[in-house]
Amino acid sequence: AQLGGDPNGYLTYCPCMGRFGNQADHFLGSLAFAKALNRTLILPPWVEYRRGELRSRQVPFNTYFEVEPLKEYHRVITMADFMWHLADDIWPESERVSFCYKERYSLKQEKNDPDKPNCHAKDGNPFGPFWDTFHIDFVRSEFYAPLHFDVHHSNEAAKWQAKYPAESYPVLAFTGAPASFPVQLENCKLQRYLQWSQRYRDASKDFIREQLPRGAFLGIHLRNGIDWVRACEHVKDSQHLFASPQCLGYKNERGALYPELCMLSKEAIIRQLKRTIKNVRQTQPDNEIKSVFVASDSNHMIGELNTALSRMGISVHKLPEDDPYLDLAILGQSNHFIGNCISSYSAFVKRERDVHGFPSYFWGFPKE
Ligand code: GFB
């Protein structure tokens, strides 16, 4: 095999679907998939979108998470390390093949275009900007249908290995994540290998110590932006929506979807908050909730919540500036947490807390 490389080959993908919560779900699945295929996972950067920018930004994997703990589970390398140190030997430009399930049409291409079938892996945003980050171009496409990614319920991994041996396919580079959304039940526990980088551990600890009153705090996630209002309209015609299996169960063991799970009225939010705080006071009198930390993509309801909770001696806080990652890191450490069952952003927090045995609840759940 190649100098210094993994003789079993590598696997990577573009986190080209959704924002962070979606990408995190996909990451856990891709990690399990790489392990099942026994290929080193090349850790892709996270893809971010800023308002007013036409091209996605790629943020190095290790800006947010440590690389080392992942190695307890499986072999990984950052995309930067792979591209700068190994790609010339292992994945020369002439051998860069993009993998997709079946032909993907180009945005510009007519359906009856004489062009050869292609993954068009770099077509559009974030596809192009993602691979451009490391100057990756593809010379050919490979359609892997009917293979799939569910390595937990079949011998799919062996089929992949037989069809794509590492000697002929040193790197499987997928157009999108080789994983399902939402994350498969079996892969939720891999969250324990995803540990915040020093920078986020420090920043979250500092905020909790310096900005919140001493004592226990309740973290809440209010997902209420306009994109969410629109997404919630799909509740009525779905069994599941986004991360909803996290509270309803993957087979709806704990019930069917209903609108309040997606979005509660302000009054209902305040009622549930007061109820939760009183419950904790009764059941854990030594560890009373002293404050509430609010994370939100839009309306933090700071005024309303302060008014509603001040008589209970509770103050309400948020970050001074929008930071989705710091919000997550803080929510992960709260003594109690109320999240949105349908949001994959909330799901990230819930999985992390499960790893530590911290309690989590959901807005509007169980159904009243
Ligand atoms: O993470 P995400 O896929 O979760 O997308 P959902 C929501 C994004 O909104 C996050 C921002 O990545 C953040 O950038 N955001 C959400 C927040 N909550 C907070 C918060 O508490 N604090 C901060 N600072 N930012 C769904 C997607 O989003 O939204 C679907 O799963 C779809 O693909 C739908 O796009 C409309 O699962 O909540």
Side-chain angles (χ1 to χ4, degrees):
Q2 297 86 350
L3 266 176
D6 181 350
N8 301 302
Y10 295 79
L11 186 160
T12 197
Y13 66 95
C14 173
C16 274
M17 192 196 92
R19 287 180 284 166
F20 179 73
N22 287 202
Q23 293 177 37
D25 271 40
H26 272 158
F27 173 74
L28 297 181
S30 304
L31 181 62
F33 184 63
K35 183 168 170 100
L37 266 56
N38 194 24
R39 284 171 175 266
T40 297
L41 178 63
I42 301 170
L43 301 169
W46 303 99
V47 173
E48 294 184 7
Y49 307 89
R50 306 275 164 92
R51 205 165 283 141
E53 292 185 2
L54 295 174
R55 292 168 68 84
S56 60
R57 291 199 196 185
Q58 281 60 239
V59 180
F61 185 91
N62 56 357
T63 301
Y64 302 129
F65 302 102
E66 299 281 357
V67 172
E68 284 308 309
L70 289 164
K71 294 183 182 166
E72 284 173 36
Y73 176 72
H74 186 57
R75 304 182 304 279
V76 297
I77 183 172
T78 63
M79 192 171 269
D81 275 346
F82 179 80
M83 291 310 294
W84 304 144
H85 303 303
L86 297 174
D88 285 349
D89 288 334
I90 295 177
W91 204 36
E93 287 178 14
S94 59
E95 288 179 27
R96 296 185 180 169
V97 179
S98 68
F99 281 69
C100 53
Y101 185 74
K102 59 182 175 69
E103 175 172 17
R104 293 171 74 249
Y105 292 99
S106 151
L107 295 175
K108 291 157 262 167
Q109 186 188 359
E110 305 286 332
K111 288 240 162 156
N112 53 7
D113 192 298
D115 261 14
K116 273 209 248 158
N118 197 297
C119 288
H120 293 288
K122 294 187 64 175
D123 210 56
N125 190 48
F127 298 90
F130 176 81
W131 299 108
D132 278 345
T133 307
F134 292 101
H135 312 289
I136 295 168
D137 287 305
F138 296 103
V139 294
R140 186 168 82 72
S141 298
E142 176 68 27
F143 310 116
Y144 59 77
L147 297 185
H148 59 82
F149 313 128
D150 183 0
V151 289
H152 295 293
H153 299 104
S154 60
N155 67 341
E156 205 62 15
K159 293 186 195 162
W160 280 92
Q161 286 169 330
K163 188 162 179 195
Y164 301 115
E167 303 81 58
S168 350
Y169 297 90
V171 178
L172 306 184
F174 290 93
T175 311
S180 65
F181 177 75
V183 60
Q184 262 189 301
L185 181 60
E186 291 81 358
N187 296 332
C188 288
K189 58 180 186 296
L190 302 187
Q191 182 82 30
R192 63 182 285 236
Y193 302 103
L194 206 45
Q195 296 174 14
W196 288 102
S197 62
Q198 187 74 47
R199 180 166 144 198
Y200 281 85
R201 290 203 303 275
D202 288 349
S204 56
K205 290 224 159 61
D206 288 350
F207 180 87
I208 293 167
R209 197 179 50 233
E210 290 161 16
Q211 305 299 324
L212 302 183
R214 263 172 169 279
F217 75 103
L218 165 63
I220 67 174
H221 178 214
L222 298 180
R223 185 76 168 92
N224 51 22
I226 183 67
D227 64 331
W228 195 248
V229 176
R230 292 206 185 105
C232 290
E233 288 170 11
H234 296 290
V235 164
K236 54 182 185 308
D237 34 56
S238 331
Q239 278 296 309
H240 276 301
L241 187 57
F242 309 137
S244 64
Q246 67 174 325
C247 69
L248 298 176
Y250 278 77
K251 296 183 175 137
N252 288 95
E253 306 90 288
R254 292 184 287 280
L257 209 53
Y258 48 95
E260 293 76 21
L261 215 47
C262 202
M263 191 83 108
L264 274 187
S265 67
K266 287 186 175 174
E267 295 71 28
I269 288 173
I270 289 172
R271 273 203 307 278
Q272 187 171 344
L273 263 178
K274 287 184 172 169
R275 205 184 328 126
T276 305
I277 294 166
K278 280 182 190 149
N279 265 341
V280 173
R281 284 193 175 167
Q282 274 163 12
T283 53
Q284 303 171 41
D286 307 333
N287 206 18
E288 266 194 22
I289 291 171
K290 293 285 164 58
S291 62
V292 172
F293 173 77
V294 188
S296 178
D297 56 307
S298 179
N299 183 356
H300 291 76
M301 293 178 57
I302 296 293
E304 290 110 314
L305 296 182
N306 258 322
T307 306
L309 300 178
S310 62
R311 277 189 34 207
M312 299 174 90
I314 285 173
S315 55
V316 185
H317 307 259
K318 70 182 203 49
L319 290 181
E321 278 167 37
D322 183 54
D323 184 340
Y325 303 93
L326 189 50
D327 268 349
L328 284 174
I330 294 171
L331 292 175
Q333 291 174 55
S334 61
N335 300 76
H336 298 270
F337 169 63
I338 310 178
N340 187 310
C341 173
I342 293 176
S343 166
S344 63
Y345 184 92
S346 272
F348 186 92
V349 178
K350 163 74 163 68
R351 286 192 305 266
E352 177 175 313
R353 298 175 62 82
D354 285 350
V355 170
H356 297 122
F358 297 165
S360 303
Y361 328 103
F362 296 103
W363 296 115
F365 184 81
K367 197 174 183 180
E368 283 189 24

